[in-house]
Amino acid sequence: MSIEKDHSHPLLGNGFLNEITALRLQPLVVLNTGRTFAYEVLSKTKDHNPEQFFSMLPANLLFEIFSHQIKILRNVPGQFWFNLPVDVFTDPSFISQLAETDHQGRFILEIQNPAALVNLTPQKLENFRIGIQSLRNKGWSIWLDDITYELAQKIAQYNLDISGIKIDRSEVTNNSELIIVVHTARKMASQVLIEGIETDEMLQKAYNANADFGQGFLWEETQPIPFKLEQ
């Protein structure tokens, strides 16, 4: 999602965290076994559409939400995937904080708006490259989210050090040559996950395209975890 820095919005005051009521955990599944191996961390909101709510938050507030998510889940067993925007990875102060965060070998980062990469200035792109390399050196796994075939062709030229690619749900719905999309994604990373799997037919299509993992409403989410702030 794009990040719109609208600091005038009333939710961007001290009470913006109160809009979040719980953490949703969406299963990530190994396609050839059906085993759930991890969960993407999403949020339930009180009075707003979650996508609209998070799209208007600037990077610093999204990072604050991420920090609270980490605290809530640090004693919960399992592997968890967290969303952060490109702006976080171009900022040395955020990179420093992430480098000092204990990922426990089971917390994974998703870059939620990789389309923003193509609009970065050369200096910002270099900051991004240095940032993710620093985090990879600290043992963080980093995935690119919402990758389409067209976007993959553009980003592949950057030669980024990333762990995996999450293919956008639109590709499994609309692209009859999904295997080509997966092949293109593997030029950037060895592991590929396909999002938006809602039916057995979509599941078979993802499997036939040689993807490694899947995600979508075909698999039931776990019970939400209350979003309680530490005192």
Side-chain angles (χ1 to χ4, degrees):
M1 56 185 135
S2 61
I3 306 303
E4 181 181 334
K5 297 186 178 182
D6 180 10
H7 296 284
S8 65
H9 195 284
L11 283 177
L12 301 191
N14 292 332
F16 82 98
L17 289 172
N18 294 329
E19 177 65 18
I20 304 172
T21 60
L23 301 183
R24 291 171 48 206
L25 302 179
Q26 191 169 84
L28 308 181
V29 176
V30 180
L31 289 181
N32 63 2
T33 66
R35 176 180 65 87
T36 296
F37 72 96
Y39 297 90
E40 179 176 354
V41 181
L42 304 170
S43 297
K44 295 183 68 174
T45 53
K46 188 183 302 180
D47 298 317
H48 293 77
N49 175 286
E51 185 173 351
Q52 294 177 351
F53 174 74
F54 290 105
S55 69
M56 69 187 177
L57 298 182
N60 64 308
L61 297 189
L62 291 171
F63 192 86
E64 185 173 348
I65 292 170
F66 159 77
S67 299
H68 286 293
Q69 291 173 334
I70 285 275
K71 291 176 182 177
I72 291 170
L73 293 170
R74 65 186 172 192
N75 294 320
V76 178
Q79 184 182 115
F80 299 104
W81 295 35
F82 302 88
N83 290 279
L84 286 171
V86 164
D87 284 356
V88 164
F89 298 89
T90 63
D91 190 317
S93 65
F94 288 135
I95 293 299
S96 178
Q97 292 178 69
L98 283 169
E100 295 174 2
T101 300
D102 182 10
H103 54 70
Q104 300 180 9
R106 63 190 186 92
F107 295 152
I108 311 299
L109 299 176
E110 292 186 37
I111 300 172
Q112 66 191 38
N113 59 333
L117 289 172
V118 301
N119 295 319
L120 293 180
T121 64
Q123 183 59 59
K124 284 282 190 179
L125 183 60
E126 183 62 18
N127 289 350
F128 178 85
R129 196 189 312 275
I130 292 172
I132 62 169
Q133 185 62 63
S134 297
L135 295 176
R136 297 284 284 135
N137 291 342
K138 289 288 186 177
W140 279 99
S141 292
I142 302 174
W143 286 59
L144 294 183
D145 195 12
D146 295 339
I147 293 294
T148 62
Y149 177 61
E150 180 181 1
L151 187 56
Q153 291 178 303
K154 293 178 180 178
I155 294 179
Q157 63 183 313
Y158 298 152
N159 295 317
L160 302 174
D161 181 14
I162 53 176
S163 309
I165 299 293
K166 295 182 75 176
I167 293 177
D168 188 72
R169 65 183 64 247
S170 63
E171 295 293 350
V172 73
T173 303
N174 303 322
N175 197 322
S176 61
E177 299 294 340
L178 188 59
I179 191 169
I180 297 177
V181 184
V182 172
H183 177 73
T184 303
R186 288 201 195 280
K187 295 179 181 179
M188 293 186 285
S190 61
Q191 300 182 90
V192 177
L193 180 150
I194 294 180
E195 300 179 293
I197 298 176
E198 301 180 4
T199 66
D200 289 334
E201 181 181 4
M202 289 179 172
L203 175 61
Q204 188 62 48
K205 186 176 180 181
Y207 180 81
N208 291 343
N210 297 322
D212 304 294
F213 312 114
Q215 178 181 0
F217 292 134
L218 181 63
W219 299 282
E220 186 176 355
E221 293 184 12
T222 65
Q223 189 72 18
I225 297 176
F227 188 78
K228 295 182 178 179
L229 303 180
E230 291 188 351
Q231 301 299 318

